[in-house]
């Protein structure tokens, strides 16, 4: 009888299959993909994994809740183009991202633009494009009234609300208390009055409480509170609410012991909200917006071992990749205590022996760590180190100019 097939301990994640000891990305063996890309390091994103994640999520959500992709998680144009074909809308956070979103072919009516400190040029760009602008302050509202007066174009406006509660168990909090994001909930009535006195129509509300949350109960609680708050705020508007963005916050597992988000109760809660919305906001389209959850697990960061060193009994694998391409895996993008992302030697997936090794980058700083004393197959110069869970907040969330090494390549397969 065959022994049950459990993956070896050094295969930390299962979304990418293994054949003949090599990881397959989009069906291509990793060493061949590296040759095809032409250089290391690179990020590789798998279309099929992206599509599967969206399909899984859509089947858990009620049809009345639209799914938007927040492209700051990964704005690679080819990837945004792929996502545009499978999600219901795109959310952008700058004029540069707006350009990428418009180029993807997504209809402007399904693009929204949030973020504090929008420059006047960005606001003009957004008004001209006809996307929904999530207004973050009274001054931004006045700027839009000015653009409307100058151009005769009607800005599409929603108010981003800084709620009076926080998202519990969230990796990064972005609402509640004093914040640079959104307009404090208690001042929304006067901001609506100010908008209406300038002839502007408020289409809806945007609430985004936080990021990287693995607890279904706290996501449910935040979505319920956001919905109820929007119901209260809507009473102050003279026009019916047409759009309600309930935020997102769903996280992905990075570290041992992390449990996947349980989608079923979140879907059930949103179904209840969608049902209530039929009477409370009969004209509104409801959506959630997700970045990391949609793309994070579909991406790998791949770098090559340049040197293998011993220092006082410890092995150091020095690679051509590091924090300049992948700040978050180095632990320097919002982590309080550094933990290892899942790492493997992508061309030695069937190894039977392991050793303790440190995986480091080429930068002259002790912060440049990709793996701290991890159990890995013994790796040699030329081998390919892979970092899993690297599809979100990678290339564009890293200080690529630091130390003047080449920029990272990206490939969608
Ligand atoms: C960053 C951001 C998102 C995406 O957050 P994830 O944690 O990646 O899902 C969504 N909406 C807004 C307004 C954001 O700023």
């Amino acid at each position: 009888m065959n022994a049950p097939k459990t993956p070896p301990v050094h295969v930390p994640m299962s979304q990418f299959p293994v054949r003949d000891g090599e990881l397959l990305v989009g069906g291509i063996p990793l060493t061949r993909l590296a040759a095809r890309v032409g250089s290391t390091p690179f990020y590789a994103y798998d279309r099929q994994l992206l599509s599967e994640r969206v399909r899984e999520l859509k089947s858990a959500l009620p049809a009345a809740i639209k799914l938007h992709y927040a492209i700051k998680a990964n704005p690679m144009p080819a990837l945004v183009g792929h996502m545009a074909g499978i999600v219901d809308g795109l959310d952008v956070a700058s004029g540069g991202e707006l350009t990428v979103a418009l180029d993807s072919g997504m209809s402007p009516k399904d693009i929204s633009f949030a973020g504090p400190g929008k420059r006047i040029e960005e606001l003009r760009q957004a008004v001209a494009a006809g996307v929904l602008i999530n207004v973050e302050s009274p001054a931004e509202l006045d700027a839009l009234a000015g653009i409307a007066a100058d151009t005769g174009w009607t800005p599409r406006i929603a108010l981003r609300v800084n709620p009076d509660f926080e998202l519990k168990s969230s990796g990064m909090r972005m609402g509640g208390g004093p914040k640079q994001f959104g307009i404090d909930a208690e001042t929304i009535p006067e901001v609506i009055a100010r908008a209406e006195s300038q002839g502007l129509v408020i289409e809806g509300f945007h609430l985004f409480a936080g990021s990287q949350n693995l607890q279904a109960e706290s996501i449910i609680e935040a979505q319920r509170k956001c919905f109820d708050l929007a119901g209260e705020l809507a009473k102050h508007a003279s026009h019916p609410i047409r759009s309600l963005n309930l935020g997102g916050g769903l996280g992905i597992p990075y570290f041992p012991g992390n449990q996947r988000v349980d989608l079923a109760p979140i879907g059930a809660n949103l179904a209840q909200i969608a049902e209530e919305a039929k009477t409370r906001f009969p004209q509104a389209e409801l959506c959630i917006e997700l970045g990391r959850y949609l793309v994070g697990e579909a991406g790998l960061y791949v770098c090559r071992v340049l040197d293998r060193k011993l220092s006082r009994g410890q092995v150091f694998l020095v690679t051509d990749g590091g924090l300049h391409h992948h700040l978050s895996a180095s632990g320097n993008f919002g982590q309080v205590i550094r933990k290892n992302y899942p790492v493997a030697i992508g061309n030695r997936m069937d190894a039977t022996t392991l050793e303790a090794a440190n995986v480091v980058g080429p930068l002259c700083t002790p912060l440049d760590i990709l793996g701290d004393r991890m159990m890995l197959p013994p790796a040699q110069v030329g081998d390919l180190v892979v970092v899993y869970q690297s599809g979100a907040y990678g290339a564009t969330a890293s200080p690529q100019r630091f130390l003047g090494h080449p920029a990272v390549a990206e490939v969608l397969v």
Side-chain angles (χ1 to χ4, degrees):
M1 254 186 59
N2 289 334
K5 276 209 172 162
T6 48
V9 288
H10 58 86
V11 179
M13 307 296 298
S14 60
Q15 68 268 49
F16 295 93
V18 173
R19 194 207 299 149
D20 299 333
E22 282 203 41
L23 272 185
L24 300 180
V25 186
I28 306 171
L30 192 66
T31 53
R32 184 149 184 173
L33 182 62
R36 187 186 119 169
V37 172
S39 61
T40 54
F42 62 92
Y43 281 94
Y45 315 116
D46 187 316
R47 290 173 200 273
Q48 198 183 324
L49 291 177
L50 295 167
S51 297
E52 276 168 18
R53 173 47 50 89
V54 168
R55 210 177 305 129
E56 174 196 35
L57 195 58
K58 282 193 164 175
S59 66
L61 298 180
I65 305 280
K66 301 298 174 196
L67 179 61
H68 287 206
Y69 171 49
I71 81 170
K72 84 170 188 284
N74 189 330
M76 181 205 194
L79 181 142
V80 174
H82 179 77
M83 298 302 285
I86 54 179
V87 298
D88 305 308
L90 298 174
D91 294 314
V92 304
S94 71
E97 286 191 356
L98 177 56
T99 302
V100 173
L102 291 167
D103 286 350
S104 77
M106 179 63 75
S107 167
K109 79 175 171 31
D110 297 316
I111 297 175
S112 61
F113 180 12
K118 297 182 194 74
R119 286 173 292 117
I120 192 80
E121 298 83 358
E122 293 175 295
L123 290 171
R124 275 179 168 270
Q125 189 189 350
V127 173
V131 304
L132 184 65
I133 301 163
N134 293 315
V135 169
E136 309 249 355
S137 73
E140 210 170 88
L141 195 66
D142 295 350
L144 287 166
I147 291 170
D150 286 351
T151 62
W153 302 326
T154 305
R156 294 184 50 219
I157 294 175
L159 298 181
R160 178 165 180 187
V161 181
N162 176 21
D164 42 11
F165 53 85
E166 292 200 333
L167 177 58
K168 288 182 199 148
S169 340
S170 189
M172 254 184 234
R173 289 183 183 170
M174 294 179 66
K179 286 281 184 305
Q180 73 265 51
F181 306 109
I183 299 168
D184 292 346
E186 56 278 19
T187 67
I188 290 283
E190 63 195 74
V191 174
I192 293 175
R194 185 184 186 117
E196 292 182 352
S197 74
Q198 299 181 90
L200 299 172
V201 173
I202 303 299
E203 275 187 40
F205 298 109
H206 172 221
L207 298 106
F208 180 76
S211 189
Q212 183 50 23
N213 200 318
L214 295 172
Q215 307 293 325
E217 316 90 84
S218 48
I219 293 167
I220 288 170
E221 186 188 319
Q223 287 174 340
R224 163 53 60 183
K225 284 183 168 171
C226 286
F227 182 72
D228 289 342
L229 177 57
E232 286 307 307
L233 299 177
K235 292 178 186 160
H236 298 274
S238 334
H239 302 273
I241 295 308
R242 314 187 66 90
S243 129
L244 185 53
N245 184 333
L246 294 171
L250 278 66
I252 62 171
Y254 286 100
F255 311 118
N258 280 175
Q259 299 290 323
R260 309 193 72 79
V261 182
D262 188 359
L263 287 181
I266 296 172
N269 181 59
L270 287 172
Q272 174 67 34
I273 284 176
E275 194 52 41
E276 289 174 35
K278 283 185 193 164
T279 46
R280 267 168 102 173
F281 303 104
Q283 300 196 33
E285 181 168 288
L286 273 63
C287 73
I288 60 169
E289 57 178 5
L290 300 174
R292 185 192 313 266
Y293 188 81
L294 298 182
V295 299
E297 295 187 84
L300 290 175
Y301 177 62
V302 184
C303 55
R304 201 178 286 280
V305 178
L306 298 177
D307 197 358
R308 179 188 163 92
K309 296 174 64 171
L310 275 176
S311 172
R312 309 217 158 100
Q314 287 193 30
V315 174
F316 285 81
L317 303 173
V318 185
T319 71
D320 56 6
L323 79 72
H324 55 314
H325 297 154
H326 204 334
L327 190 67
S328 50
S330 77
N332 294 294
F333 190 66
Q335 285 184 36
V336 181
I337 299 167
R338 188 189 179 284
K339 292 187 211 149
N340 291 324
Y341 271 41
V343 167
I345 307 299
N347 58 312
R348 293 186 190 271
M349 301 301 288
D350 56 0
T352 51
T353 59
L354 299 179
E355 67 176 10
N358 298 285
V359 182
V360 301
L363 306 189
C364 295
T365 160
L367 300 177
D368 194 12
I369 303 172
L370 294 175
D372 180 18
R373 285 161 294 168
M374 301 187 82
M375 292 310 291
L376 297 171
Q380 302 303 322
V381 170
D383 283 350
L384 295 172
V385 171
V386 300
V387 182
Y388 289 84
Q389 313 303 74
S390 297
Y393 304 111
T396 59
S398 301
Q400 294 211 42
R401 304 280 295 274
F402 189 37
L403 268 92
H405 289 287
V408 69
E410 292 181 279
V411 62
L412 176 70
V413 285

